[in-house]
PDB file of all heavy atoms in Angstrom:
ATOM      1  N   GLU A  68       4.566  22.865   3.198  1.00  0.00           N
ATOM      2  CA  GLU A  68       3.750  22.957   1.982  1.00  0.00           C
ATOM      3  C   GLU A  68       2.393  23.593   2.284  1.00  0.00           C
ATOM      4  O   GLU A  68       1.432  23.420   1.540  1.00  0.00           O
ATOM      5  CB  GLU A  68       3.498  21.546   1.403  1.00  0.00           C
ATOM      6  CG  GLU A  68       4.735  20.703   1.213  1.00  0.00           C
ATOM      7  CD  GLU A  68       5.630  21.218   0.090  1.00  0.00           C
ATOM      8  OE1 GLU A  68       5.120  21.917  -0.808  1.00  0.00           O
ATOM      9  OE2 GLU A  68       6.845  20.928   0.155  1.00  0.00           O
ATOM     10  N   VAL A  69       2.335  24.345   3.386  1.00  0.00           N
ATOM     11  CA  VAL A  69       1.034  24.813   3.879  1.00  0.00           C
ATOM     12  C   VAL A  69       0.319  25.720   2.876  1.00  0.00           C
ATOM     13  O   VAL A  69      -0.913  25.800   2.865  1.00  0.00           O
ATOM     14  CB  VAL A  69       1.212  25.480   5.277  1.00  0.00           C
ATOM     15  CG1 VAL A  69       1.903  26.814   5.186  1.00  0.00           C
ATOM     16  CG2 VAL A  69      -0.106  25.571   6.000  1.00  0.00           C
ATOM     17  N   GLU A  70       1.076  26.350   1.987  1.00  0.00           N
ATOM     18  CA  GLU A  70       0.445  27.219   0.991  1.00  0.00           C
ATOM     19  C   GLU A  70      -0.532  26.485   0.086  1.00  0.00           C
ATOM     20  O   GLU A  70      -1.498  27.073  -0.396  1.00  0.00           O
ATOM     21  CB  GLU A  70       1.517  27.901   0.129  1.00  0.00           C
ATOM     22  CG  GLU A  70       1.642  29.369   0.479  1.00  0.00           C
ATOM     23  CD  GLU A  70       3.081  29.840   0.538  1.00  0.00           C
ATOM     24  OE1 GLU A  70       3.771  29.727  -0.486  1.00  0.00           O
ATOM     25  OE2 GLU A  70       3.485  30.322   1.609  1.00  0.00           O
ATOM     26  N   GLU A  71      -0.281  25.205  -0.162  1.00  0.00           N
ATOM     27  CA  GLU A  71      -1.175  24.449  -1.044  1.00  0.00           C
ATOM     28  C   GLU A  71      -2.274  23.733  -0.257  1.00  0.00           C
ATOM     29  O   GLU A  71      -3.067  22.986  -0.824  1.00  0.00           O
ATOM     30  CB  GLU A  71      -0.384  23.419  -1.859  1.00  0.00           C
ATOM     31  CG  GLU A  71       0.184  22.288  -1.015  1.00  0.00           C
ATOM     32  CD  GLU A  71       0.382  20.987  -1.791  1.00  0.00           C
ATOM     33  OE1 GLU A  71       1.007  21.021  -2.855  1.00  0.00           O
ATOM     34  OE2 GLU A  71      -0.101  19.942  -1.296  1.00  0.00           O
ATOM     35  N   PHE A  72      -2.332  23.959   1.053  1.00  0.00           N
ATOM     36  CA  PHE A  72      -3.272  23.214   1.877  1.00  0.00           C
ATOM     37  C   PHE A  72      -4.723  23.532   1.518  1.00  0.00           C
ATOM     38  O   PHE A  72      -5.122  24.676   1.444  1.00  0.00           O
ATOM     39  CB  PHE A  72      -3.030  23.511   3.366  1.00  0.00           C
ATOM     40  CG  PHE A  72      -3.964  22.762   4.251  1.00  0.00           C
ATOM     41  CD1 PHE A  72      -3.886  21.381   4.339  1.00  0.00           C
ATOM     42  CD2 PHE A  72      -4.958  23.415   4.967  1.00  0.00           C
ATOM     43  CE1 PHE A  72      -4.759  20.660   5.134  1.00  0.00           C
ATOM     44  CE2 PHE A  72      -5.835  22.702   5.762  1.00  0.00           C
ATOM     45  CZ  PHE A  72      -5.735  21.331   5.847  1.00  0.00           C
ATOM     46  N   ASP A  73      -5.487  22.469   1.302  1.00  0.00           N
ATOM     47  CA  ASP A  73      -6.901  22.612   0.962  1.00  0.00           C
ATOM     48  C   ASP A  73      -7.613  21.394   1.549  1.00  0.00           C
ATOM     49  O   ASP A  73      -7.493  20.283   1.047  1.00  0.00           O
ATOM     50  CB  ASP A  73      -7.037  22.646  -0.573  1.00  0.00           C
ATOM     51  CG  ASP A  73      -8.493  22.706  -1.024  1.00  0.00           C
ATOM     52  OD1 ASP A  73      -9.392  22.323  -0.249  1.00  0.00           O
ATOM     53  OD2 ASP A  73      -8.719  23.124  -2.180  1.00  0.00           O
ATOM     54  N   ILE A  74      -8.336  21.624   2.631  1.00  0.00           N
ATOM     55  CA  ILE A  74      -8.907  20.504   3.381  1.00  0.00           C
ATOM     56  C   ILE A  74      -9.916  19.710   2.544  1.00  0.00           C
ATOM     57  O   ILE A  74     -10.003  18.487   2.671  1.00  0.00           O
ATOM     58  CB  ILE A  74      -9.526  20.990   4.735  1.00  0.00           C
ATOM     59  CG1 ILE A  74      -9.892  19.801   5.634  1.00  0.00           C
ATOM     60  CG2 ILE A  74     -10.728  21.886   4.523  1.00  0.00           C
ATOM     61  CD1 ILE A  74      -8.728  19.001   6.150  1.00  0.00           C
ATOM     62  N   ALA A 111      -3.643  24.431   9.565  1.00  0.00           N
ATOM     63  CA  ALA A 111      -3.577  23.220   8.726  1.00  0.00           C
ATOM     64  C   ALA A 111      -3.371  21.982   9.596  1.00  0.00           C
ATOM     65  O   ALA A 111      -3.947  20.917   9.331  1.00  0.00           O
ATOM     66  CB  ALA A 111      -2.445  23.356   7.701  1.00  0.00           C
ATOM     67  N   SER A 114      -6.764  21.231  11.369  1.00  0.00           N
ATOM     68  CA  SER A 114      -7.759  20.690  10.412  1.00  0.00           C
ATOM     69  C   SER A 114      -7.448  19.239  10.080  1.00  0.00           C
ATOM     70  O   SER A 114      -8.361  18.421   9.904  1.00  0.00           O
ATOM     71  CB  SER A 114      -7.751  21.441   9.089  1.00  0.00           C
ATOM     72  OG  SER A 114      -7.944  22.778   9.275  1.00  0.00           O
ATOM     73  N   GLN A 115      -6.155  18.927   9.958  1.00  0.00           N
ATOM     74  CA  GLN A 115      -5.790  17.550   9.579  1.00  0.00           C
ATOM     75  C   GLN A 115      -5.934  16.588  10.763  1.00  0.00           C
ATOM     76  O   GLN A 115      -6.219  15.404  10.575  1.00  0.00           O
ATOM     77  CB  GLN A 115      -4.379  17.518   8.970  1.00  0.00           C
ATOM     78  CG  GLN A 115      -4.374  18.224   7.603  1.00  0.00           C
ATOM     79  CD  GLN A 115      -3.003  18.202   6.938  1.00  0.00           C
ATOM     80  OE1 GLN A 115      -2.707  17.341   6.120  1.00  0.00           O
ATOM     81  NE2 GLN A 115      -2.166  19.173   7.279  1.00  0.00           N
TER      82      GLN A 115
END
Side-chain angles (χ1 to χ4, degrees):
E68 309 290 336
V69 72
E70 253 138 59
E71 68 153 51
F72 180 67
D73 176 338
I74 190 67
S114 305
Q115 291 181 95

